[in-house]
Amino acid sequence: MRRRHFTAGMATLPFVPTFALAQADDWPNRNVRIVCPFTPGGSQDNIARRLAAKLSDEFGQTFVVENRTGAGGSIAADNVAKSPPDGYSVLLGNIGSHALVPHLYRKPAYNAVTDLETVAWIGTQPNLLCCSPGFPHDTLPKLIAAAKKEPGKYSFGSSGLGTSPTLTMELFKQKTGVDITFISYRGAAAAAADVLAGHVPMVISNIDSLMGQVSAGKLKPMASSGAKRSTVLPDTPTFAETVSPDLVVTSWSIWAVPTGTPARIKDRLRVATEKALKSPDVMESMKAGGFEPGVMTVPEIDAYIQTEIKRWGEVIRAAGIKAE
């Protein structure tokens, strides 16, 4: 009787090859790639490298950051989506790769919902709009008034079309009705350099990317895009308090892996990431750049991503934006 009961119970369990379980238990036994969709030195790259160092210490194997830029994060995401689901390719997923690409490209090379699986929530970071110190319209009310008086005269630089900083300004334009020209750059550093050189009056990027120039007095902050003022710039107003309460945009970050990656591997990576995010040095470093670490369950993350996909689809369609 016991034997028949045992056999029936086992028959209901999914078959998992022994070698797959062994590989999951052994993970990682070699270098792990963290594929970052952004250029070295930017805020997202900094996040990836901070966590990679902690994960390397935790597991005794090197976590290597690999930068694959371009196409709003889709190049990096597609690379990971098509990698073996063995835990050795991890994507620094973000608003671009998961919520913007589906609306910017007619036929994306991957599907972020079906080809990638969420592992862990890392946190959020607001965007920051800055201008050169000599720009006369250095507050949002002044900028709105000037842009309405002379449509098309003013411009801002940002890192590519399918990014949260660019979409922040697109939403700003929709809410206020102003006509401001977008100039695309490969990264925040290049856009900021043109502002410092006097070629462009404004730049918007993740707050961490611009804090160096702000602290040095080379750029003047105009507004941040979080729900509340950033702790690193408490005197800088938000778009929400100045323009509209729903003009809140954050650049969020997650770990994602190819669909089919063993659950044991995903669990180990998630637990180690949450541990790293709680370490005092990581928390201090990330918050110094205006980044807010956080913890969410995988179902909560996936539900949030769905709301972002819907929200930004509406914004992109209203603006008639197409990928370059």
Side-chain angles (χ1 to χ4, degrees):
M1 291 296 291
R2 290 180 181 176
R3 184 175 180 179
R4 284 197 298 271
H5 176 74
F6 174 77
T7 303
M10 289 297 292
T12 62
L13 296 176
F15 173 71
V16 180
T18 303
F19 75 88
L21 293 176
Q23 287 181 329
D25 288 337
D26 193 37
W27 180 90
N29 58 23
R30 54 186 170 88
N31 290 355
V32 177
R33 294 190 313 145
I34 292 180
V35 183
C36 176
F38 300 99
T39 55
S43 61
Q44 297 289 345
D45 179 72
N46 291 339
I47 293 165
R49 293 180 190 277
R50 289 166 185 163
L51 292 177
K54 286 293 182 181
L55 294 173
S56 297
D57 291 341
E58 177 72 17
F59 291 112
Q61 294 289 345
T62 303
F63 282 67
V64 181
V65 176
E66 181 179 303
N67 300 91
R68 288 181 175 261
T69 64
S74 63
I75 292 176
D78 182 52
N79 177 267
V80 172
K82 290 181 171 58
S83 296
D86 55 11
Y88 292 95
S89 295
V90 179
L91 173 70
L92 181 68
N94 59 87
I95 186 175
S97 65
H98 280 64
L100 304 183
V101 164
H103 304 294
L104 292 171
Y105 296 87
R106 181 174 298 177
K107 293 182 178 181
Y110 70 98
N111 185 313
V113 175
T114 59
D115 297 339
L116 294 165
E117 293 179 339
T118 306
V119 175
W121 179 259
I122 297 174
T124 61
Q125 184 182 51
N127 299 306
L128 182 66
L129 177 66
C130 294
C131 63
S132 60
F135 186 56
H137 313 298
D138 57 358
T139 67
L140 289 186
K142 289 180 181 178
L143 176 62
I144 293 169
K148 286 187 173 181
K149 185 176 181 179
E150 298 180 279
K153 178 179 179 180
Y154 302 100
S155 61
F156 69 94
S158 187
S159 56
L161 185 65
T163 63
S164 68
T166 303
L167 270 297
T168 297
M169 291 304 288
E170 187 56 50
L171 194 56
F172 170 70
K173 290 162 62 177
Q174 291 180 14
K175 295 289 185 182
T176 60
V178 300
D179 179 9
I180 301 176
T181 303
F182 162 54
I183 300 177
S184 179
Y185 291 84
R186 284 194 62 82
D194 263 12
V195 174
L196 298 179
H199 302 312
V200 182
M202 295 174 287
V203 58
I204 185 168
S205 183
N206 297 155
I207 193 168
D208 188 34
S209 298
L210 301 177
M211 279 304 299
Q213 292 96 328
V214 170
S215 298
K218 296 179 179 180
L219 291 176
K220 181 176 181 179
M222 297 174 64
S224 63
S225 66
K228 57 183 180 181
R229 295 190 181 194
S230 172
T231 56
V232 296
L233 290 172
D235 295 329
T236 300
T238 64
F239 283 90
E241 67 185 270
T242 308
V243 178
S244 174
D246 62 348
L247 211 170
V248 175
V249 183
T250 56
S251 179
W252 42 268
S253 301
I254 63 172
W255 287 148
V257 293
T259 295
T261 300
R264 294 186 187 184
I265 292 176
K266 293 185 291 184
D267 287 344
R268 292 194 71 193
L269 178 57
R270 175 185 54 78
V271 170
T273 299
E274 291 175 357
K275 178 182 177 181
L277 289 170
K278 293 177 182 177
S279 61
D281 58 329
V282 171
M283 290 184 67
E284 181 180 354
S285 177
M286 296 177 81
K287 288 187 175 182
F291 197 90
E292 291 294 332
V295 176
M296 291 174 64
T297 66
V298 170
E300 288 171 340
I301 300 168
D302 290 339
Y304 176 73
I305 290 173
Q306 288 298 330
T307 64
E308 287 284 86
I309 291 173
K310 181 178 184 296
R311 180 194 189 195
W312 291 111
E314 294 171 353
V315 173
I316 290 169
R317 284 191 295 272
I321 298 174
K322 300 293 181 182
E324 298 172 333

